[in-house]
Amino acid sequence: MTRMAAEETLAKLLEGNQRFIKGVMHHPRQDPRHRQKVSAAQAPLAVVVGCSDSRTSPEIIFDAGLGDLFVVRSAGCSIDRIGIESVALPLQLFRIPLIIVLGHEKCGAIQTAMSPPADNFVFLRESLRPAIETSAHLPGDSEENACVMQVYRTIQSLTTSPILSPLLTEIKSSIVGAFYQMQSGIVDILPASKY
Ligand SMILES: [Zn+2]
């Protein structure tokens, strides 16, 4: 894969996001003929690591089709070992050039992790606590800062994974962080390092 493959894929997905923002979706590759085609073999364009929030479905917000995105979701866009292998698997099988880690505003998982009582959702809290703590000193909205920080921490978990790291090097896949604004529908690509 080349950097161009990742850039072209990202541009294509952002074009789909523009259609979604404007309400002029194409709903591409969702017809019965395409369904039959991808039932034989899949060739996803990108892996998306995102939040389980019902308002953040990647196929919808990127106006993508069946078989376009290999999606790994969990509450708070957190990632564990199963999540990491769920990213590594499609990379190995399909040599995917692009991984998008997609956070979003008003994340219920982050809100829960920032609120008492602390005796429920123990694993989720544990997973999200570093992002909340390391963003606590930042100016601006603490909740949004934690959501963005969680994207960066998930990227770090992926790039430093002993399973994934060699694959990323071999395939030359790019990982980008992105942030979804629910009301406008806009997906912003985050700078490589914001903090
Ligand atoms: Zn969320």
Side-chain angles (χ1 to χ4, degrees):
M1 291 296 173
T2 63
R3 177 169 292 276
M4 186 59 80
E7 286 176 1
E8 282 175 4
T9 302
L10 184 58
K12 187 172 180 173
L13 292 174
L14 291 177
E15 278 174 24
N17 178 239
Q18 282 297 319
R19 294 195 299 273
F20 174 69
I21 292 164
K22 294 169 186 161
V24 290
M25 292 79 81
H26 292 171
H27 305 295
R29 297 173 292 286
Q30 297 177 19
D31 54 286
R33 191 171 168 177
H34 183 75
R35 186 181 67 225
Q36 285 172 14
K37 182 183 165 193
V38 293
S39 73
Q42 61 174 317
L45 302 170
V47 176
V48 179
V49 179
C51 182
S52 301
D53 191 302
S54 62
R55 301 161 293 180
T56 65
S57 307
E59 289 88 348
I60 294 178
I61 67 177
F62 289 115
D63 193 24
L66 195 67
D68 283 353
L69 301 175
F70 197 105
V71 180
V72 180
R73 294 172 78 177
S74 69
C77 193
S78 51
I79 197 142
D80 58 7
R81 284 186 288 184
I82 293 289
I84 286 172
E85 291 198 0
S86 298
V87 175
L89 183 73
L91 248 63
Q92 180 163 307
L93 293 177
F94 312 119
R95 305 187 74 80
I96 296 174
L98 177 67
I99 301 166
I100 300 175
V101 179
L102 182 64
H104 70 100
E105 63 176 350
K106 300 172 186 169
C107 180
I110 297 276
Q111 288 168 347
T112 300
M114 291 176 88
S115 315
D119 58 352
N120 58 0
F121 301 109
V122 174
F123 294 106
L124 199 57
R125 285 177 188 279
E126 198 174 299
S127 163
L128 298 175
R129 194 183 62 229
I132 294 166
E133 288 180 355
T134 53
S135 63
H137 69 286
L138 296 169
D141 184 272
S142 59
E143 186 187 304
E144 184 159 324
N145 288 337
C147 293
V148 172
M149 186 65 82
Q150 179 60 16
V151 171
Y152 287 120
R153 287 196 57 85
T154 295
I155 291 173
Q156 190 180 31
S157 298
L158 295 173
T159 53
T160 57
S161 152
I163 300 160
L164 204 49
S165 176
L167 259 178
L168 291 168
T169 306
E170 183 196 330
I171 303 170
K172 297 186 174 63
S173 296
S174 296
I175 303 186
V176 299
F179 198 75
Y180 176 59
Q181 298 173 26
M182 290 194 289
Q183 195 167 8
S184 65
I186 295 170
V187 173
D188 283 318
I189 300 302
L190 295 171
S193 179
K194 189 173 176 183
Y195 302 126

